[in-house]
Amino acid sequence: MPDGDAAAGRQVFIDKKCASCHVIDGMEALREGLEVENTVPIGGMKTTVDTYGQLVTSVINPSHRIARAYRSEAYSEDGESKMRNYNDELTVSELIDLVAFLQAQYTEFPDY
Ligand code: HEC
């Protein structure tokens, strides 16, 4: 897919109210005024940065790969993610921008 625009993706993240279930370090203000339903961190330090493909999958098919840490009842039910499906409301451009924004939130651990 073509390169996305992370700033536009941030706006999609706000418009779609993703922050009602997600927190991003340093962007807690995005949650203001939203009804908080869940608290799943996005981004931070990872041993491997979530690849583009994994992030796309997380958005268009959340139950495909539920992170081990999220297999508890708070986050999934019968193996289905509690994350809503956005496939009928996100345009392809919005998805591309959103993933560019999400990817920028992950930092790889430095090599020692
Ligand atoms: C109703 C709550 C809810 C909303 C709203 C929601 N999510 Fe999620 N999301 C979850 C839960 C619960 C998980 C963890 C389980 C899973 O992996 O599906 C998750 C996981 C993710 C992951 C994987 C995180 C990781 O590090 O593995 C990404 C990326 C993500 N969501 C993006 C989004 C985006 C983008 C939006 C807005 C378009 C959104 N989510 C809206 C509940 C939600």
Side-chain angles (χ1 to χ4, degrees):
M1 292 214 269
D3 282 345
D5 175 344
R10 182 176 185 277
Q11 194 56 48
V12 176
F13 193 85
I14 293 168
D15 293 345
K16 298 295 175 193
K17 301 192 167 69
C18 307
S20 61
C21 291
H22 290 290
V23 277
I24 298 179
D25 233 21
M27 295 190 206
E28 289 80 4
L30 295 185
R31 308 198 96 186
E32 270 167 33
L34 292 179
E35 198 177 310
V36 172
E37 293 179 51
N38 215 323
T39 298
V40 180
I42 283 187
M45 295 289 257
K46 290 248 172 170
T47 39
T48 47
V49 175
D50 265 22
T51 66
Y52 194 84
Q54 284 169 347
L55 284 170
V56 172
T57 305
S58 291
V59 178
I60 65 174
N61 186 6
S63 298
H64 176 76
R65 182 194 68 105
I66 296 187
R68 193 170 277 280
Y70 301 130
R71 294 223 177 102
S72 71
E73 276 176 13
Y75 307 116
S76 60
E77 242 175 69
D78 301 329
E80 292 289 308
S81 174
K82 283 193 177 172
M83 184 164 149
R84 215 149 64 68
N85 185 301
Y86 290 91
N87 296 0
D88 291 334
E89 43 180 293
L90 280 178
T91 67
V92 175
S93 301
E94 283 175 334
L95 176 66
I96 292 169
D97 292 342
L98 193 50
V99 172
F101 168 69
L102 295 174
Q103 203 172 25
Q105 309 312 320
Y106 290 90
T107 345
E108 210 166 346
F109 279 112
D111 285 331
Y112 291 106

